[in-house]
């Protein structure tokens, strides 16, 4: 439940951020394609930003993930992922 609550809050805050810098090309929150790994449940918020949007949002994205970190688990920002799993 901690993971679900964290991803919901991150998604809500990212949507607020989107209002300030313009519509993202792609944005969504869902279970990861690999739902469990090493006994941990995985969720993701995905977005595609233009280079201009990236420059305006990256520090805010780090602040959002830090603020929404669950008591048990981790949250991280991955830039240009090589794999979506």
């Amino acid at each position: 439940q901690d993971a679900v609550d964290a991803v919901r809050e991150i998604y809500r805050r990212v949507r607020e951020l989107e209002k300030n810098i313009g519509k993202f090309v792609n944005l969504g929150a869902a279970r990861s394609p690999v739902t469990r790994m090493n006994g941990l449940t995985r969720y993701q918020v995905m977005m595609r930003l233009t280079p201009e949007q990236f420059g305006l949002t990256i520090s805010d994205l780090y602040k959002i993930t830090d603020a929404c970190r669950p008591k048990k688990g981790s949250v991280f920002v991955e830039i240009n992922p090589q794999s979506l799993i």
Side-chain angles (χ1 to χ4, degrees):
Q1 187 60 46
D2 286 344
V4 172
D5 293 341
V7 80
R8 283 182 181 160
E9 181 61 16
I10 290 168
Y11 184 72
R12 185 189 69 74
R13 292 182 186 204
V14 167
R15 294 299 298 219
E16 288 296 318
L17 183 62
E18 182 182 29
K19 291 177 185 176
N20 296 330
I21 66 157
K23 186 87 174 138
F24 298 153
V25 174
N26 190 354
L27 176 65
R31 285 182 173 231
S32 291
V34 177
T35 313
R36 292 187 65 81
M37 184 179 284
N38 298 326
L40 300 173
T41 303
R42 297 167 33 110
Y43 290 87
Q44 61 190 13
V45 175
M46 301 221 10
M47 63 188 81
R48 181 173 287 175
L49 305 168
T50 64
E52 297 80 21
Q53 288 174 320
F54 178 80
L56 294 171
T57 61
I58 189 64
S59 64
D60 290 325
L61 292 173
Y62 284 119
K63 289 176 188 173
I64 289 169
T65 57
D66 285 343
C68 297
R69 189 174 315 277
K71 292 178 183 174
K72 295 179 182 178
S74 62
V75 177
F76 61 91
V77 175
E78 187 173 0
I79 300 166
N80 295 325
Q82 297 302 306
S83 172
L84 297 179
I85 60 170

